[in-house]
Amino acid sequence: MAMTRAQAEAQAHVLAFDFTACDGHGLCAELLPELVGLDEWGYPVLHSPTVPPELLPHARRAVAACPVMALRLNRVPTPPPDRPLSRTTGTRGRTKPLLDDSPCVSDA
């Protein structure tokens, strides 16, 4: 099933840098000073990788403006809200324990 635009917008987004590609132009810090600062050499430093929904358009603009494509905006998958957490593992949908108490047997 395809995700609607509203559902995609509701997902969390995080910024990531490819520091090997970054040349330190500083456009990201100029366009998104709420989340990106610069170190003493002019390279980006993230104040917070998580992008709040109100800054998402600005983050997209900063990603598009990066001259060396070193800045990325990634969606963080969020679990569906209709499935409760499993008491066994703390994950959604998985009910088997991660580890069992059986002794290890070696064929050596």
Side-chain angles (χ1 to χ4, degrees), residues 53-101:
E54 63 272 8
L55 292 178
L56 194 54
H58 300 288
R60 286 190 174 124
R61 183 172 170 219
V63 169
C66 182
V68 292
M69 296 184 287
L71 181 60
R72 290 185 311 275
L73 184 62
N74 299 320
R75 270 191 233 144
V76 177
T78 54
D82 59 329
R83 294 178 69 185
L85 288 174
S86 165
R87 291 182 187 199
T88 308
T89 63
T91 61
R92 296 187 190 278
R94 184 177 175 146
T95 56
K96 293 194 302 188
L98 295 177
L99 299 174
D100 59 5
D101 293 332

